[in-house]
Amino acid sequence: MKKVYCIGELLIDFVAEKQGSDLSKANEFTKKAGGAPANVACAISKLGGNGVFIGCVGKDPFGKFLLETLKREGVDISLAQLSDTFTTLAFVSIAEDGERDFVFSRGADKELKYNPALRKNLSGNILHLGAATALLGGPLEKTYAKYLFDGLTKEMFICFDPNFRSDLWKDDEETFVKKCMPFVEKSHLCKFSLEEAQLLSGKEDLNEACDKLHKVGTKIIAVTLGKDGTLLSMNGTKKTIPSIPVSPIDTTGAGDAFIGCLLYQISDLGSFDPVLEDFELLEKMVAKANKAGAITTTNYGAIVALPTKEQLEK
């Protein structure tokens, strides 16, 4: 089974309790481990795969808590880095339908430095670039670009999830789109939300959006549509694959569970060629990944809610 290197932020989610979607009215917060790339690494490891996390946390109690959480879930944290900068925090509100809003207090995640010694271990493995904070400048952004280059030269399977957060970009969406394009161009697989697909393509119609993003370069597009499933687009074929019915209480980490489950299945293939050529195979994988995402919405928090292999096979 191939390793999946997940690069980006690991942070504390302070989840507001009993207040709906208005953070200004929140009085109580629950501490949860979060950060999209870390969630993906955990999703892979909980399913029995080889999730590797590459990111930076502070030398503080929150950083210690986060790394211990990943280690407990079976994630390889040997490449994680520590910084004197305080661990990144996110404050999360959850509406009645499970949808979320974020406010970020950015810290140590931006300090991740490139590790050239890792190059020799990358060949033939999977690279997942899914950090919400990766394109905001600092060492992390430069590191991100260097690992993309390594992924290309070491013939890795490359996955990109932009994880757009409006609070981080504040009326500078044009810069976000511009910075995403090299990753869309070079990745084998891109996972988008509906909002991200429309934003990056400039197209409201989802079919037109996928066509334009394929022209940029990516071979496989998965657009997650919540309860409506996932639109899969590859080699001129498009199909919406349904999800399973659930009663969501917190959608935090659902997209990460989806892409983690999909990458876990890809990592179990002897070659990447089938997933790039066989739409029916990919369709079956996406159906299972939809189930993983749906199960995650039935519990609070991202990592604790991620499904095990046993849960998926029920």
Side-chain angles (χ1 to χ4, degrees), residues 186-308:
K186 301 298 184 183
S187 297
H188 299 93
L189 164 65
C190 285
K191 178 262 175 193
F192 303 122
S193 66
L194 175 61
E195 178 188 20
E196 289 163 350
Q198 292 171 332
L199 174 63
L200 293 177
S201 67
K203 303 288 186 181
E204 285 296 315
D205 181 84
L206 197 48
N207 290 324
E208 292 180 8
C210 288
D211 289 341
K212 184 169 181 179
L213 293 168
H214 280 306
K215 287 180 180 178
V216 174
T218 186
K219 296 175 176 64
I220 305 168
I221 294 175
V223 183
T224 52
L225 304 170
K227 63 181 177 60
D228 295 324
T230 298
L231 176 67
L232 177 62
S233 179
M234 182 179 73
N235 296 336
T237 301
K238 296 181 182 68
K239 185 175 181 179
T240 299
I241 295 131
S243 187
I244 61 170
V246 293
S247 298
I249 60 173
D250 179 7
T251 61
T252 307
D256 302 327
F258 169 87
I259 198 62
C261 182
L262 185 54
L263 292 176
Y264 161 73
Q265 295 174 80
I266 294 171
S267 74
D268 203 23
L269 297 173
S271 164
F272 298 133
D273 291 339
V275 79
L276 293 168
E277 299 168 359
D278 188 339
F279 190 91
E280 289 186 4
L281 171 65
L282 194 55
E283 182 181 348
K284 291 176 182 177
M285 290 180 167
V286 168
K288 182 175 284 189
N290 280 346
K291 185 175 181 181
I295 291 171
T296 303
T297 69
T298 62
N299 197 0
Y300 285 104
I303 291 174
V304 295
L306 294 167
T308 62

Side-chain angles (χ1 to χ4, degrees), residues 7 10 23 46 60 68 94 101 202 209 247 275 295:
I7 301 175
L10 172 61
L23 271 173
K46 285 186 81 168
D60 51 63
E68 287 178 347
I94 303 172
D101 190 20
S247 298
V275 79
I295 291 171

Side-chain angles (χ1 to χ4, degrees), residues 16-292:
E17 303 289 353
K18 305 173 185 175
Q19 85 337 304
S21 59
D22 189 346
L23 271 173
S24 69
K25 297 178 181 177
N27 294 312
E28 300 175 16
F29 292 84
T30 300
K31 180 185 72 175
K32 303 283 187 181
N39 293 341
V40 173
C42 285
I44 292 162
S45 295
K46 285 186 81 168
L47 292 172
N50 294 324
V52 183
F53 174 72
I54 302 176
C56 187
V57 296
K59 298 175 184 176
D60 51 63
F62 288 139
K64 180 180 179 181
F65 162 75
L66 290 168
L67 291 178
E68 287 178 347
T69 300
L70 263 60
K71 186 176 182 180
R72 187 169 60 248
E73 298 295 345
V75 174
D76 181 346
I77 59 169
S78 62
L79 298 170
Q81 298 174 14
L82 295 173
S83 170
D84 291 329
T85 303
F86 201 76
T87 297
T88 299
L89 310 176
F91 296 86
V92 187
S93 63
I94 303 172
E96 290 183 3
D97 61 359
E99 287 301 316
R100 306 149 295 154
D101 190 20
F102 294 84
V103 174
F104 286 85
S105 177
R106 198 176 184 209
D109 78 277
K110 68 178 179 291
E111 303 295 340
L112 181 69
K113 296 178 176 62
Y114 174 67
N115 180 4
L118 180 57
R119 276 180 57 85
K120 64 181 183 295
N121 299 323
L122 296 177
S123 294
N125 287 301
I126 296 174
L127 178 67
H128 176 63
L129 300 161
T133 62
L135 304 179
L136 291 169
L140 174 60
E141 183 169 355
K142 295 176 182 178
T143 296
Y144 219 58
K146 288 179 179 178
Y147 280 126
L148 175 63
F149 178 80
D150 285 349
L152 293 168
T153 56
K154 291 296 183 178
E155 298 183 344
M156 301 181 78
F157 184 93
I158 302 171
C159 173
F160 177 57
D161 179 353
N163 270 300
F164 175 71
R165 298 287 182 265
S166 58
D167 180 70
L168 293 176
W169 290 96
K170 296 187 184 303
D171 302 320
D172 196 16
E173 294 175 352
E174 185 177 338
T175 299
F176 173 78
V177 171
K178 183 178 179 180
K179 288 187 173 187
C180 282
M181 285 303 112
F183 297 92
V184 176
E185 178 187 356
K186 301 298 184 183
S187 297
H188 299 93
L189 164 65
C190 285
K191 178 262 175 193
F192 303 122
S193 66
L194 175 61
E195 178 188 20
E196 289 163 350
Q198 292 171 332
L199 174 63
L200 293 177
S201 67
K203 303 288 186 181
E204 285 296 315
D205 181 84
L206 197 48
N207 290 324
E208 292 180 8
C210 288
D211 289 341
K212 184 169 181 179
L213 293 168
H214 280 306
K215 287 180 180 178
V216 174
T218 186
K219 296 175 176 64
I220 305 168
I221 294 175
V223 183
T224 52
L225 304 170
K227 63 181 177 60
D228 295 324
T230 298
L231 176 67
L232 177 62
S233 179
M234 182 179 73
N235 296 336
T237 301
K238 296 181 182 68
K239 185 175 181 179
T240 299
I241 295 131
S243 187
I244 61 170
V246 293
S247 298
I249 60 173
D250 179 7
T251 61
T252 307
D256 302 327
F258 169 87
I259 198 62
C261 182
L262 185 54
L263 292 176
Y264 161 73
Q265 295 174 80
I266 294 171
S267 74
D268 203 23
L269 297 173
S271 164
F272 298 133
D273 291 339
V275 79
L276 293 168
E277 299 168 359
D278 188 339
F279 190 91
E280 289 186 4
L281 171 65
L282 194 55
E283 182 181 348
K284 291 176 182 177
M285 290 180 167
V286 168
K288 182 175 284 189
N290 280 346
K291 185 175 181 181

